[in-house]
Amino acid sequence: MFWLIFICLILLFTYLGKDNFTTSNKYIIFGGRLGLSVVLSYVVAYSAHNYVDNEVYIAFYESLRNENLSFSEFNLNIFSERLYMFEPGFRLLSIIIYRFGLGNIGYLFIIALLTNILFVNLMYRFKYPIFIIISFVTSGLYFQECNLVRQMLAVAIFCYSLRFIKEN
Protein backbone atom coordinates (compact mmCIF):
# COMPACT_ATOMS: atom_id res chain seq x y z
CA MET A 1 0.00 0.00 0.00
CA PHE A 2 2.87 2.35 0.82
CA TRP A 3 4.41 1.96 -2.63
CA LEU A 4 1.07 2.61 -4.33
CA ILE A 5 0.69 5.87 -2.40
CA PHE A 6 4.35 6.66 -3.16
CA ILE A 7 3.85 6.21 -6.92
CA CYS A 8 0.59 8.23 -6.88
CA LEU A 9 2.30 11.11 -5.05
CA ILE A 10 5.19 11.03 -7.52
CA LEU A 11 2.77 11.18 -10.47
CA LEU A 12 0.75 13.99 -8.85
CA PHE A 13 3.76 16.15 -8.06
CA THR A 14 5.32 15.41 -11.44
CA TYR A 15 2.16 16.68 -13.11
CA LEU A 16 2.03 19.78 -10.90
CA GLY A 17 5.67 20.57 -11.63
CA LYS A 18 5.19 20.83 -15.39
CA ASP A 19 5.77 24.22 -17.02
CA ASN A 20 2.99 23.98 -19.60
CA PHE A 21 -0.05 24.61 -17.42
CA THR A 22 -2.84 26.71 -18.87
CA THR A 23 -2.44 29.13 -15.96
CA SER A 24 1.34 28.65 -15.69
CA ASN A 25 1.32 29.59 -12.01
CA LYS A 26 4.93 29.59 -10.80
CA TYR A 27 3.88 28.76 -7.23
CA ILE A 28 2.12 25.57 -8.36
CA ILE A 29 5.17 24.59 -10.41
CA PHE A 30 7.50 25.29 -7.48
CA GLY A 31 5.22 23.40 -5.07
CA GLY A 32 5.01 20.42 -7.40
CA ARG A 33 8.76 20.17 -7.80
CA LEU A 34 9.41 20.68 -4.10
CA GLY A 35 6.72 18.13 -3.21
CA LEU A 36 8.29 15.62 -5.57
CA SER A 37 11.69 16.20 -3.96
CA VAL A 38 10.22 15.77 -0.46
CA VAL A 39 8.47 12.50 -1.38
CA LEU A 40 11.64 11.10 -2.94
CA SER A 41 13.71 12.19 0.07
CA TYR A 42 11.28 10.68 2.57
CA VAL A 43 11.95 7.16 1.32
CA VAL A 44 15.72 7.69 1.35
CA ALA A 45 15.75 9.05 4.91
CA TYR A 46 13.32 6.66 6.55
CA SER A 47 14.77 3.52 5.00
CA ALA A 48 18.25 4.31 6.29
CA HIS A 49 18.47 1.14 8.37
CA ASN A 50 18.21 -0.96 5.18
CA TYR A 51 21.39 0.36 3.59
CA VAL A 52 24.92 -0.43 4.68
CA ASP A 53 26.60 2.89 3.99
CA ASN A 54 24.07 4.88 5.96
CA GLU A 55 25.37 3.35 9.17
CA VAL A 56 28.71 5.04 8.48
CA TYR A 57 27.05 8.39 7.78
CA ILE A 58 24.99 8.14 10.95
CA ALA A 59 28.07 7.21 12.98
CA PHE A 60 29.89 10.21 11.48
CA TYR A 61 26.96 12.50 12.29
CA GLU A 62 26.83 11.21 15.86
CA SER A 63 30.60 11.74 16.19
CA LEU A 64 30.02 15.46 15.67
CA ARG A 65 28.61 15.59 19.21
CA ASN A 66 32.12 15.02 20.57
CA GLU A 67 33.65 17.84 18.55
CA ASN A 68 34.05 21.48 19.46
CA LEU A 69 31.85 22.96 16.77
CA SER A 70 31.60 26.57 17.85
CA PHE A 71 32.11 28.79 14.83
CA SER A 72 34.18 31.26 16.82
CA GLU A 73 36.77 28.56 17.58
CA PHE A 74 36.40 26.64 14.33
CA ASN A 75 39.31 24.29 13.88
CA LEU A 76 40.32 23.15 10.38
CA ASN A 77 41.66 19.88 11.78
CA ILE A 78 38.10 18.60 11.85
CA PHE A 79 38.39 18.30 8.08
CA SER A 80 41.50 16.14 8.00
CA GLU A 81 42.33 14.34 11.23
CA ARG A 82 39.32 12.12 11.73
CA LEU A 83 38.27 8.52 11.43
CA TYR A 84 35.80 9.49 8.70
CA MET A 85 37.70 10.93 5.76
CA PHE A 86 34.90 12.72 3.91
CA GLU A 87 35.13 15.67 1.56
CA PRO A 88 35.44 19.09 3.26
CA GLY A 89 32.23 20.36 1.66
CA PHE A 90 30.25 17.36 2.90
CA ARG A 91 31.74 17.76 6.38
CA LEU A 92 30.83 21.45 6.44
CA LEU A 93 27.28 20.66 5.29
CA SER A 94 27.03 18.01 8.02
CA ILE A 95 28.24 20.48 10.63
CA ILE A 96 25.69 23.08 9.50
CA ILE A 97 22.89 20.49 9.68
CA TYR A 98 24.14 19.42 13.12
CA ARG A 99 23.99 23.04 14.32
CA PHE A 100 20.23 23.00 13.63
CA GLY A 101 19.90 20.13 16.11
CA LEU A 102 18.40 17.57 13.75
CA GLY A 103 18.52 13.86 14.51
CA ASN A 104 19.90 11.11 12.32
CA ILE A 105 16.82 10.81 10.13
CA GLY A 106 16.64 14.59 9.74
CA TYR A 107 20.29 14.63 8.69
CA LEU A 108 19.75 12.02 5.99
CA PHE A 109 16.52 13.73 4.92
CA ILE A 110 18.21 17.12 4.41
CA ILE A 111 21.07 15.56 2.41
CA ALA A 112 18.58 13.60 0.29
CA LEU A 113 16.39 16.69 -0.14
CA LEU A 114 19.30 18.74 -1.48
CA THR A 115 20.20 15.92 -3.86
CA ASN A 116 16.64 15.41 -5.07
CA ILE A 117 15.96 19.13 -5.57
CA LEU A 118 18.94 19.29 -7.91
CA PHE A 119 17.94 16.08 -9.72
CA VAL A 120 14.30 17.12 -10.10
CA ASN A 121 15.23 20.54 -11.50
CA LEU A 122 17.58 18.77 -13.91
CA MET A 123 14.83 16.42 -15.06
CA TYR A 124 12.42 19.24 -15.84
CA ARG A 125 14.84 20.69 -18.39
CA PHE A 126 13.92 17.93 -20.82
CA LYS A 127 10.86 17.62 -23.05
CA TYR A 128 9.16 14.70 -21.25
CA PRO A 129 10.09 14.93 -17.57
CA ILE A 130 7.50 12.37 -16.46
CA PHE A 131 9.29 9.59 -18.34
CA ILE A 132 12.65 10.65 -16.94
CA ILE A 133 11.29 10.77 -13.37
CA ILE A 134 9.60 7.37 -13.69
CA SER A 135 12.79 5.85 -15.11
CA PHE A 136 14.81 7.50 -12.30
CA VAL A 137 12.56 6.04 -9.61
CA THR A 138 12.25 2.58 -11.13
CA SER A 139 15.90 2.23 -12.04
CA GLY A 140 18.72 1.45 -9.67
CA LEU A 141 19.87 5.09 -9.69
CA TYR A 142 17.27 6.19 -7.14
CA PHE A 143 18.08 3.32 -4.80
CA GLN A 144 21.80 4.02 -5.17
CA GLU A 145 21.00 7.42 -3.70
CA CYS A 146 20.04 5.61 -0.51
CA ASN A 147 23.46 4.04 -0.23
CA LEU A 148 25.86 6.49 -1.85
CA VAL A 149 24.77 9.68 -0.12
CA ARG A 150 27.91 11.78 -0.69
CA GLN A 151 28.52 10.55 -4.21
CA MET A 152 24.95 11.15 -5.36
CA LEU A 153 25.05 14.67 -3.95
CA ALA A 154 28.26 15.29 -5.92
CA VAL A 155 26.70 13.85 -9.10
CA ALA A 156 23.60 16.01 -8.64
CA ILE A 157 25.70 19.16 -8.20
CA PHE A 158 27.78 18.27 -11.26
CA CYS A 159 24.77 17.50 -13.48
CA TYR A 160 22.92 20.62 -12.36
CA SER A 161 25.96 22.82 -12.98
CA LEU A 162 26.37 21.59 -16.56
CA ARG A 163 23.66 24.06 -17.55
CA PHE A 164 25.81 26.98 -16.45
CA ILE A 165 28.89 25.59 -18.15
CA LYS A 166 26.91 25.14 -21.37
CA GLU A 167 25.63 28.71 -21.27
CA ASN A 168 29.17 30.09 -21.03
Side-chain angles (χ1 to χ4, degrees):
M1 186 67 179
F2 170 77
W3 291 108
L4 180 64
I5 294 171
F6 176 70
I7 295 296
C8 289
L9 285 173
I10 286 176
L11 292 174
L12 172 71
F13 287 126
T14 301
Y15 176 74
L16 291 176
K18 289 190 328 184
D19 284 333
N20 57 359
F21 267 116
T22 54
T23 60
S24 189
N25 188 344
K26 65 181 179 180
Y27 297 112
I28 292 175
I29 293 169
F30 174 76
R33 292 180 185 185
L34 184 63
L36 179 61
S37 298
V38 167
V39 168
L40 291 173
S41 301
Y42 178 83
V43 173
V44 172
Y46 282 94
S47 62
H49 60 280
N50 294 330
Y51 300 101
V52 178
D53 289 352
N54 283 350
E55 293 175 5
V56 175
Y57 296 121
I58 290 173
F60 162 68
Y61 187 69
E62 289 176 350
S63 75
L64 293 177
R65 292 188 182 122
N66 301 329
E67 300 291 337
N68 181 11
L69 296 178
S70 64
F71 286 117
S72 61
E73 301 172 5
F74 193 68
N75 188 355
L76 290 179
N77 289 335
I78 194 171
F79 290 117
S80 61
E81 298 176 5
R82 293 286 160 251
L83 173 66
Y84 307 102
M85 294 299 293
F86 294 148
E87 295 81 8
F90 184 76
R91 286 179 164 279
L92 184 61
L93 180 63
S94 299
I95 291 168
I96 291 170
I97 294 171
Y98 178 77
R99 297 292 290 176
F100 283 108
L102 296 177
N104 298 335
I105 300 297
Y107 168 66
L108 293 173
F109 180 77
I110 295 296
I111 299 289
L113 185 64
L114 292 173
T115 304
N116 285 320
I117 285 173
L118 294 173
F119 273 137
V120 165
N121 283 328
L122 173 70
M123 292 174 199
Y124 276 104
R125 282 196 246 151
F126 298 101
K127 187 172 183 179
Y128 299 108
I130 189 164
F131 296 122
I132 296 171
I133 291 169
I134 294 297
S135 64
F136 173 71
V137 171
T138 58
S139 71
L141 186 64
Y142 174 65
F143 293 105
Q144 283 297 329
E145 182 182 340
C146 301
N147 232 355
L148 306 172
V149 175
R150 293 179 300 132
Q151 293 86 347
M152 290 302 284
L153 181 59
V155 167
I157 291 170
F158 173 75
C159 290
Y160 187 77
S161 66
L162 285 177
R163 176 179 75 179
F164 303 110
I165 294 172
K166 183 182 172 184
E167 290 175 357
N168 291 333

